[in-house]
Amino acid sequence: MEKIALITDTTSDLSEEIINKYGINVLSFRIIYSDREYKDKVDITSEEVYKNFKFEIPTSSMPALQDMEELYNKLEREGYTHAIAITLSTGLSGIFNGLKLTAENHKNIKSYIYDSKSVTIGEGVLALECAKLIQSGKSFDEIVKEIPFIKKRIHMFFVVSTLEYLKKGGRIGKLSGTIGQFLNIKPIIAVNEEGTYYPYDKVRGRKQSINRLLEIAKDITSKCKCSVYIAHGDAELEARDLFEKAKVLPNVVSAHFCGCVTPVIGVHSGPGALGLVVLEQN
């Protein structure tokens, strides 16, 4: 009998309820200040990260290879025969390669490491759909075969109040940041096939950027039945307003308010981030 473990990382923004319900193994990114280091979601909260911005904007790093090794040792002790990992995009982090190296050292567990080419709830929804398949009794090979098709059904977009934090984290070009600052241009950000950020659209002003997210949701949901997911970075009121409007769109069969993004996502997106994921149903 197969015993399949599911692995992801804290940038997937899965709630504790979902993690516990499906027994998902979550690797913590690191948040690094000049004089200290924290494990994402373990030693520091999103609120603390935002509060500390006025003193220092930290950097981040992928989960330690030692953490990956310890996780695989734990899975072996618990009798797992297979493991599926959904990671943050390789365009944004080295976690995918780190997990592949770790998995190669544990031949007793047959592993499939998948680059989500996404981030936050885009990555999280993919991991959640895999968790549901494992729980339903699907085999390792069946799930691995299904993952690319799930990925094609996931659409993720987000807006930020300023490009300053993405720029400082090396996630977006300086020119784009300067243009946005002076013209009040707000890009609707998505992740391309290489797993890096790109401007899906551009509008003027904060209010218009949020309205555009809703328009995008309307367009996708007009074509088929969908689930929608909303997350935010220190922008709860705007996120809840968007959620209330998105959940009543035609063809929306379920809506999920995911709350505040994990601390490490907050480091790079800054306060004011709003994320939308639309998952097309089969």
Side-chain angles (χ1 to χ4, degrees), residues 121 155-160 186-190 200-201 203 205-221 228-232 238-239 242-243 245-246 249 272-278:
I121 45 175
H155 309 274
M156 189 197 76
F157 308 89
F158 68 96
V159 298
V160 292
K186 303 294 183 183
I188 310 300
I189 303 169
Y200 176 84
D201 197 1
V203 295
R206 172 73 171 179
K207 186 176 180 181
Q208 283 300 105
S209 70
I210 299 173
N211 289 340
R212 184 71 181 102
L213 281 181
L214 186 62
E215 288 174 7
I216 292 168
K218 278 182 183 176
D219 182 53
I220 298 170
T221 59
V228 296
Y229 298 78
I230 304 290
H232 71 90
E238 291 171 313
L242 178 62
F243 174 73
K245 292 173 180 175
L249 292 175
L274 281 177
L276 161 76
V277 163
V278 180

Side-chain angles (χ1 to χ4, degrees), residues 85-129:
I86 307 297
T87 73
L88 174 64
S89 172
T90 49
L92 303 171
S93 170
I95 184 175
F96 171 82
N97 292 324
L99 259 178
K100 286 207 78 165
L101 285 172
T102 304
E104 287 169 6
N105 293 329
H106 293 266
K107 302 296 186 183
N108 292 333
I109 297 178
K110 184 177 181 182
S111 295
Y112 180 69
I113 317 297
Y114 186 79
D115 176 5
S116 74
K117 290 189 165 51
S118 192
V119 63
T120 184
I121 45 175
E123 175 191 352
V125 168
L126 181 54
L128 175 57
E129 292 300 300

Side-chain angles (χ1 to χ4, degrees), residues 17-257:
E17 180 184 358
I18 288 173
I19 290 166
N20 293 330
K21 179 179 179 180
Y22 294 101
I24 301 170
N25 299 277
V26 182
L27 291 161
S28 289
F29 272 71
R30 297 294 201 276
I31 294 173
I32 304 166
Y33 286 89
S34 57
D35 60 346
R36 58 205 186 281
E37 181 178 308
Y38 297 99
K39 274 190 172 184
D40 188 39
K41 283 188 77 174
V42 175
D43 304 322
I44 193 168
T45 66
S46 301
E47 290 73 20
E48 288 171 321
V49 166
Y50 295 123
K51 187 177 179 180
N52 288 335
F53 274 153
K54 57 186 173 185
F55 305 111
E56 182 182 358
I57 298 175
T59 58
S60 65
S61 68
M62 61 182 261
L65 290 174
Q66 181 182 346
D67 290 350
M68 300 179 194
E69 185 68 26
E70 288 176 356
L71 173 57
Y72 261 84
N73 288 336
K74 169 179 169 285
L75 296 179
E76 285 188 342
R77 289 195 304 271
E78 294 175 355
Y80 282 93
T81 58
H82 297 72
I84 294 171
I86 307 297
T87 73
L88 174 64
S89 172
T90 49
L92 303 171
S93 170
I95 184 175
F96 171 82
N97 292 324
L99 259 178
K100 286 207 78 165
L101 285 172
T102 304
E104 287 169 6
N105 293 329
H106 293 266
K107 302 296 186 183
N108 292 333
I109 297 178
K110 184 177 181 182
S111 295
Y112 180 69
I113 317 297
Y114 186 79
D115 176 5
S116 74
K117 290 189 165 51
S118 192
V119 63
T120 184
I121 45 175
E123 175 191 352
V125 168
L126 181 54
L128 175 57
E129 292 300 300
C130 288
K132 292 176 181 177
L133 291 175
I134 292 172
Q135 192 176 78
S136 72
K138 296 288 186 183
S139 71
F140 176 82
D141 289 339
E142 287 174 322
I143 298 169
V144 166
K145 185 177 179 181
E146 186 66 24
I147 288 174
F149 297 101
I150 300 172
K151 169 65 179 168
K152 287 180 181 178
R153 295 190 282 114
I154 297 172
H155 309 274
M156 189 197 76
F157 308 89
F158 68 96
V159 298
V160 292
S161 62
T162 172
L163 294 173
E164 173 189 359
Y165 297 92
L166 287 174
K167 191 166 69 173
K168 284 186 176 179
R171 299 297 191 265
I172 200 166
K174 291 182 179 180
L175 181 61
S176 298
T178 303
I179 291 173
Q181 180 182 355
F182 285 104
L183 300 181
N184 197 25
I185 297 299
K186 303 294 183 183
I188 310 300
I189 303 169
V191 184
N192 60 25
E193 291 182 1
E194 287 74 47
T196 56
Y197 297 141
Y198 78 100
Y200 176 84
D201 197 1
K202 293 179 182 178
V203 295
R204 190 181 297 275
R206 172 73 171 179
K207 186 176 180 181
Q208 283 300 105
S209 70
I210 299 173
N211 289 340
R212 184 71 181 102
L213 281 181
L214 186 62
E215 288 174 7
I216 292 168
K218 278 182 183 176
D219 182 53
I220 298 170
T221 59
S222 69
K223 300 166 186 172
C224 61
K225 293 188 182 302
C226 298
S227 296
V228 296
Y229 298 78
I230 304 290
H232 71 90
D234 201 28
E236 183 170 356
L237 291 179
E238 291 171 313
R240 288 201 176 275
D241 182 59
L242 178 62
F243 174 73
E244 293 300 321
K245 292 173 180 175
K247 75 178 185 181
V248 296
L249 292 175
N251 286 327
V252 171
V253 295
S254 67
H256 310 270
F257 187 78

